Amino acid sequence: MKKQILVTGGTGYIGSHTVVELENAGYDVVVVDDLSNSSADVLDNIEKITGQKPVFEQFSLADAEKTDDFFNRYPKIEAIIHFAASKAVGESVNIPLHYYRNNLVSLMNLLDCQKKYGVANMVFSSSCTVYGQPDKLPVTEDTPRKDAESPYGNTKRVNEDILEDSIKANPELKGIALRYFNPIGAHPTALIGELPLGVPQNLVPFITQTAAGLREQISVFGDDYDTPDGSAIRDYINVVDLAKAHVIAIERLLENKNKDGYEIFNLGTGNGYSVLEIVNGFEKSTGVKLNYKIVDRRAGDIEKIWADTTYANEELGWKAEIGLEETLLSAWNWEKRVRGIE
Ligand code: WQD
């Protein structure tokens, strides 16, 4: 009998790629999403990739009644991967209450239902943003968290505490927080990928939309950082590598391999690349010349961050495998399919 996994935010970017890997691994997936930042069409493309269309329910997890009713109707769920959240850093500065209400209440409603319906396992989508600008690089799981640069980042930090404290108070619960570095790229079939609504905030979708002619040019936010070429450095990780780590984390919990009730893992590649290196890497892997200009730094940006991946490599037996150029090409192939470009 296939084990049933709930994926919240499963029509989103990382969520949809994780649904694919879960189905490939033989799990039965139920997706809950409010479609505030994604489309249900993603489910048809997941089916084209795996041959299995996940069960789908549309509602907001911030609605306690609907969340409770859902768990009452799905008694076979054994674990949850919780992606659903508002996630635009800039937007969160303008509408902080929406971010705190949506992101914190959703998690608390899920935890209430886990206790009430006996769903022991939760993998939580966290972010390296909880580290702020680290004093020492690379970042390990023991690197102290810092005050977040945005309400979005603060919801990730507070949600980690909510999860940890809930597990401490309810030993029947166990959870893993996965701190993503910068997820980029798309599924090799180009059937699913990152599809930001409106003007992309993140670098790689802005690059692919510029290459597709939707944007005039790329603004490189600052070249006066203390880095080799002056532009800021991040640890860019392929979204399929990231998705596979979620399957491993879920299996760790389902098979009771976790060492503590609450565990944290950094999910990065261990390599830092600057903005200009990403621009050049895209041109090299796709052959598409990009227009860009150097502008002022973006408020709230940190200078540089990349992961020490030792703990995830050794404890999870997981390592990012897909290289940067292949990843950037996958992002371009996805953009071309979405825009109907040959
Ligand atoms: C990367 C680099 C920018 C756009 C955020 C969140 C993180 C996660 C990923 C959700 C930075 C530069 C960007 C552009 C640029 N989000 N840049 N021109 O800010 O590292 O991380 O998104 O889970 O939690 O904090 O990602 O892609 O926005 O920026 O120069 O048009 O690219 O300054 O140095 P970021 P990003």
Side-chain angles (χ1 to χ4, degrees):
M1 183 72 173
K2 285 186 174 183
K3 292 191 175 186
Q4 192 172 66
I5 311 291
L6 164 61
V7 177
T8 75
T11 55
Y13 174 40
I14 304 166
S16 56
H17 287 82
T18 301
V19 172
V20 164
E21 298 309 324
L22 283 168
E23 291 188 342
N24 287 344
Y27 290 97
D28 177 25
V29 178
V30 179
V31 169
V32 165
D33 203 298
D34 66 3
L35 298 183
S36 59
N37 192 27
S38 59
S39 156
D41 296 349
V42 168
L43 302 164
D44 298 321
N45 290 329
I46 288 171
E47 185 179 18
K48 283 182 193 150
I49 297 169
T50 66
Q52 185 185 340
K53 187 170 184 176
V55 173
F56 173 60
E57 297 240 359
Q58 180 183 353
F59 65 89
S60 167
L61 292 154
D63 182 323
E65 202 178 316
K66 286 183 180 168
T67 303
D68 185 84
D69 167 63
F70 168 83
F71 278 93
N72 194 34
R73 290 184 290 110
Y74 287 84
K76 296 209 306 302
I77 286 172
E78 299 198 35
I80 302 168
I81 305 182
H82 180 40
F83 293 104
S86 303
K87 60 155 217 169
V89 173
E91 182 189 54
S92 76
V93 175
N94 300 327
I95 50 172
L97 279 184
H98 167 80
Y99 272 70
Y100 286 113
R101 187 171 298 113
N102 186 43
N103 293 0
L104 304 188
V105 172
S106 295
L107 177 61
M108 289 187 271
N109 287 342
L110 281 171
L111 286 163
D112 281 340
C113 290
Q114 283 188 264
K115 285 188 287 182
K116 180 174 175 182
Y117 294 96
V119 180
N121 308 297
M122 154 90 69
V123 170
F124 173 64
S125 165
S126 191
S127 167
C128 66
T129 200
V130 302
Y131 295 115
Q133 175 56 66
D135 298 329
K136 201 161 99 42
L137 288 168
V139 170
T140 71
E141 286 77 1
D142 299 324
T143 298
R145 296 182 302 175
K146 286 193 174 176
D147 290 347
E149 304 281 340
S150 68
Y152 158 77
N154 204 33
T155 66
K156 287 300 180 186
R157 178 189 167 120
V158 174
N159 270 347
E160 286 189 352
D161 295 342
I162 290 172
L163 179 58
E164 183 175 19
D165 291 344
S166 299
I167 290 167
K168 280 180 187 159
N170 302 278
E172 75 279 15
L173 298 182
K174 43 194 160 71
I176 293 175
L178 298 176
R179 290 177 179 164
Y180 312 154
F181 282 67
N182 285 59
I184 62 169
H187 194 265
T189 60
L191 286 168
I192 54 174
E194 187 172 14
L195 196 58
L197 302 182
V199 179
Q201 298 298 307
N202 294 135
L203 177 63
V204 171
F206 203 102
I207 284 177
T208 56
Q209 288 193 14
T210 303
L214 277 76
R215 309 287 162 201
E216 267 303 295
Q217 62 181 6
I218 297 150
S219 300
V220 173
F221 296 142
D223 68 346
D224 57 351
Y225 286 105
D226 178 18
T227 62
D229 64 19
S231 63
I233 291 174
R234 297 289 186 276
D235 184 333
Y236 295 92
I237 177 168
N238 183 286
V239 66
V240 174
D241 279 332
L242 191 62
K244 289 178 176 171
H246 288 74
V247 179
I248 293 170
I250 273 292
E251 286 172 347
R252 182 178 176 88
L253 294 176
L254 289 170
E255 293 159 18
N256 295 304
K257 289 181 186 163
N258 54 303
K259 299 262 172 59
D260 292 307
Y262 174 68
E263 296 180 307
I264 297 165
F265 293 94
N266 284 340
L267 296 183
T269 67
N271 304 309
Y273 287 98
S274 73
V275 177
L276 290 171
E277 284 175 318
I278 297 295
V279 170
N280 296 332
F282 181 87
E283 291 182 327
K284 191 159 166 252
S285 63
T286 63
V288 177
K289 188 89 185 80
L290 290 168
N291 296 322
Y292 68 88
K293 63 179 176 185
I294 308 290
V295 298
D296 291 340
R297 296 181 178 190
R298 178 172 67 178
D301 274 352
I302 61 165
E303 178 173 78
K304 50 194 168 190
I305 189 168
W306 60 91
D308 176 324
T309 61
T310 311
Y311 186 51
N313 298 158
E314 291 177 358
E315 198 55 41
L316 295 180
W318 167 89
K319 188 169 172 50
E321 290 167 349
I322 305 170
L324 180 68
E325 289 190 10
E326 183 181 345
T327 300
L328 292 170
L329 186 57
S330 72
W332 178 227
N333 290 336
W334 155 252
E335 187 74 47
K336 285 194 292 184
R337 197 186 70 77
V338 165
R339 309 296 170 194
I341 299 168
E342 280 312 309

